[in-house]
Amino acid sequence: MTISSSFLPEGIRTYLVQHGVREPEILARLRAETGTLAQAHYQIAPEEGQFLSWLLETTGTRRALDIGTFTGYSALVAALAMGPEGRIVTCDVSDEFTAIARRYWQEAEVEDRIDLRLGPAVETVGRLAESEVGSFDFAFIDADKENYPAYYEAALTLLRPGGTVAIDNTLWRGKVADPAETGSKTRLFRQFNAFLHADERVTLTIVPVGDGLTLARKR
């Protein structure tokens, strides 16, 4: 996650937010409260939230999977974008952070649309993949990076044909493009991105919003 788009000049990013983002007041307040936390860098940027909202609305998504709840911003974005008929399953391990999420979901009157599942997300999505094949329209992956390959495979199983998985942080602060960078997560993302590029099961693109957002549409 990242609180602003890493690859845009600040002036362009400011203009983009001012003229391309319609952030509801409740989302702005949630983002502001999250910004007071030591882990605030986990928060997605508002322009990324706007993009996801547009994507969910234009694809007519009605069932979404959110891997990595944190304080609930992406789940709230999804609930507001999909409307009363939408349903979200969201996964996290933190009672502390998801307690913040629940407050805002309740205030926004969307809590009944969001199914929060506490526990290791890799186990949650594994169980879902055993029983709900092809039942989701959309998945957003933004959790522990080491399990991204497992989350991706589970998401493909859970998505209907034509469904989309959005994968955050795939440009990893630009380090993936710098041969001098050899950290473990940089190497992980290089390998994962190479795998995605070769995966003929999906139609693929990378959008330089946030910290890099890969979109893979299941064929």
Side-chain angles (χ1 to χ4, degrees), residues 49 85 89 97 112 192:
E85 295 180 1
V89 175
F97 295 141
D112 61 331
F192 184 54

Side-chain angles (χ1 to χ4, degrees), residues 27-37 40 43 71 100 103-104:
L27 280 173
R29 283 195 287 109
L30 171 54
R31 189 164 53 84
E33 180 172 341
T34 303
T36 67
L37 302 174
Q43 175 67 63
T71 58
I100 298 172
R103 281 197 285 109
Y104 282 88

Side-chain angles (χ1 to χ4, degrees), residues 198-209:
D199 189 358
E200 294 295 334
R201 296 173 296 174
V202 299
T203 303
L204 187 73
T205 191
I206 302 177
V207 182
V209 67

Side-chain angles (χ1 to χ4, degrees), residues 36-117:
T36 67
L37 302 174
Q39 300 84 358
H41 59 284
Y42 292 171
Q43 175 67 63
I44 65 170
E47 60 268 28
E48 184 171 357
Q50 179 74 62
F51 182 79
L52 292 173
S53 177
W54 181 90
L55 188 64
L56 289 163
E57 186 173 338
T58 55
T59 57
T61 292
R62 287 295 175 266
R63 194 160 192 237
L65 176 64
D66 180 42
I67 304 174
T69 312
F70 189 39
T71 58
Y73 190 93
S74 56
L76 183 52
V77 163
L80 295 173
M82 292 191 294
E85 295 180 1
R87 295 294 181 270
I88 305 115
V89 175
T90 186
C91 317
D92 209 283
V93 294
S94 172
D95 283 306
E96 177 187 1
F97 295 141
T98 57
I100 298 172
R102 287 184 184 276
R103 281 197 285 109
Y104 282 88
W105 299 341
Q106 185 174 23
E107 182 181 345
E109 299 182 344
V110 299
E111 191 174 27
D112 61 331
R113 307 176 200 173
I114 302 174
D115 178 4
L116 172 63
R117 304 198 182 184

Side-chain angles (χ1 to χ4, degrees), residues 7-28:
F7 310 105
L8 295 176
E10 186 55 35
I12 294 295
R13 191 251 169 188
T14 299
Y15 187 90
L16 184 156
V17 171
Q18 289 175 344
H19 295 274
V21 175
R22 297 173 177 172
E23 185 180 45
E25 184 266 344
I26 193 166
L27 280 173

